Amino acid sequence: MMSSFLSRIRTETLERVEKQKKFSNFESSLRFQRAPFLFEAALRSKKGPRIIAEIKKMSPSQGVLKSAINEKTLAKQYAESGAVALSVLTEPLHFNGSLADLRSVREAVDLPLLQKDFIVDTHQILEAKSLGADAILLIVAMLQPEEIERFMKFAENLGLSVLVEVHSLAELEIALSFGAKIIGINNRNLHTLGISLDVSRELIHHLPETTLAICESGLSSSAEILEFEALGFDGYLIGSAFMKSEAPHEALRKIISGAKA
């Protein structure tokens, strides 16, 4: 059953998307025509640990993480500090993100970009590609199985990668049944918003070796990265731990350095 939090966000997002549809002409965008950077290839690279550094201004569970951000500067700093890809929160009401943030980051770096939002309509996928995203997020907990399959195919036909997010074995089985190539295991329970790294410790054992596994939420140390590397994870999406730091890119550099030691 969808949590009240996700249900509210789904309703809000559907309303937001309906208002945006009248202003779209995505196919004319130069970025819509470009070949996306290869998100999957970045996660398979030998450069490690493979961290997806996130630009996130606030979260429902922690409030404001950083009140003032220059997205272009931070994106460049993340790139220079060793991130293999970037994640950009574009949801406005609960994360204070915007589509303009994604556009700014695309202008600043030539890394694969994941647009982090609550996808509930193919309009958003077209929008993501037109703004320069290379990958989108689909959250199993807030979508019907038919929607997951349809959105995955729609995005992949546009050349975009799809990170399918799960929090339980049942959700993982749904994602795998539709051939998800990249699974994000979210340690945050979207019903309670609590975090437990045990979710990743358990679910990784149920993934086929050919499926890329991304550990999401709650990571904050090199020791944790080393543990999950040993378990077989291919990448790590880290946002809050970096954004709460005075210098997010320095926190990224430190965690990478420690995980290589």
Side-chain angles (χ1 to χ4, degrees), residues 35 40 61 63 81 95 117 124 139 148 153 158 184 200-201 247:
E40 290 180 47
S61 61
S81 299
F95 293 88
D117 207 328
Q124 294 168 281
I139 301 174
I148 299 167
K153 288 180 178 178
L158 291 174
S200 282
R201 294 183 179 110

Side-chain angles (χ1 to χ4, degrees), residues 18-31:
E18 283 303 314
K19 292 176 183 177
Q20 292 170 342
K21 281 183 178 180
K22 64 183 75 171
F23 303 110
S24 30
N25 184 19
F26 299 126
E27 287 81 353
S28 65
S29 163
L30 291 177
R31 290 199 177 92

Side-chain angles (χ1 to χ4, degrees), residues 31 34 37 55 70-80 86 88 100-113 131-132:
R31 290 199 177 92
R34 76 173 179 94
F37 293 109
I55 296 176
N70 184 313
E71 291 82 10
K72 287 186 177 181
T73 298
L74 180 53
K76 290 176 182 177
Q77 291 173 333
Y78 271 155
E80 293 166 357
L86 302 184
V88 184
D101 295 343
L102 180 62
R103 185 185 298 110
S104 293
V105 172
R106 178 76 289 158
E107 291 171 355
V109 297
D110 289 335
L111 284 179
L113 298 185
L131 292 170

Side-chain angles (χ1 to χ4, degrees), residues 83-255:
V84 300
L86 302 184
S87 170
V88 184
L89 249 301
T90 58
E91 197 281 332
L93 297 179
H94 302 276
F95 293 88
N96 197 27
S98 73
L99 296 173
D101 295 343
L102 180 62
R103 185 185 298 110
S104 293
V105 172
R106 178 76 289 158
E107 291 171 355
V109 297
D110 289 335
L111 284 179
L113 298 185
L114 167 69
Q115 184 198 15
K116 197 98 169 286
D117 207 328
F118 299 93
I119 301 295
V120 294
D121 192 294
T122 54
H123 171 91
Q124 294 168 281
I125 303 174
L126 291 169
E127 191 172 56
K129 182 173 173 64
S130 74
L131 292 170
D134 306 288
I136 62 161
L137 175 76
L138 296 181
I139 301 174
V140 172
M142 74 178 302
L143 296 170
Q144 296 298 316
E146 176 274 335
E147 292 176 315
I148 299 167
E149 182 179 32
R150 178 160 53 91
F151 294 162
M152 280 181 60
K153 288 180 178 178
F154 190 87
E156 290 171 350
N157 285 339
L158 291 174
L160 299 175
S161 296
V162 181
L163 174 60
V164 184
E165 182 178 288
V166 305
H167 179 74
S168 68
L169 181 57
E171 291 177 4
L172 174 58
E173 290 173 344
I174 291 171
L176 293 175
S177 73
F178 295 122
K181 300 173 184 176
I182 311 173
I183 297 287
I185 299 178
N186 192 349
N187 298 304
R188 184 181 299 283
N189 185 317
L190 295 178
H191 293 271
T192 66
L193 299 185
I195 290 178
S196 171
L197 297 181
D198 287 339
V199 177
S200 282
R201 294 183 179 110
E202 166 59 23
L203 292 186
I204 186 64
H205 300 295
H206 299 276
L207 263 70
E209 289 187 6
T210 54
T211 304
L212 289 166
I214 310 302
C215 185
E216 303 176 24
S217 298
L219 295 172
S220 61
S221 72
S222 300
E224 290 164 346
I225 298 294
L226 287 169
E227 176 192 353
F228 289 113
E229 284 276 284
L231 287 173
F233 278 90
D234 301 287
Y236 311 91
L237 197 158
I238 304 177
S240 297
F242 293 156
M243 298 305 294
K244 289 190 291 186
S245 170
E246 185 173 337
H249 66 293
E250 291 295 344
L252 167 62
R253 196 189 307 272
K254 181 178 179 180
I255 208 169

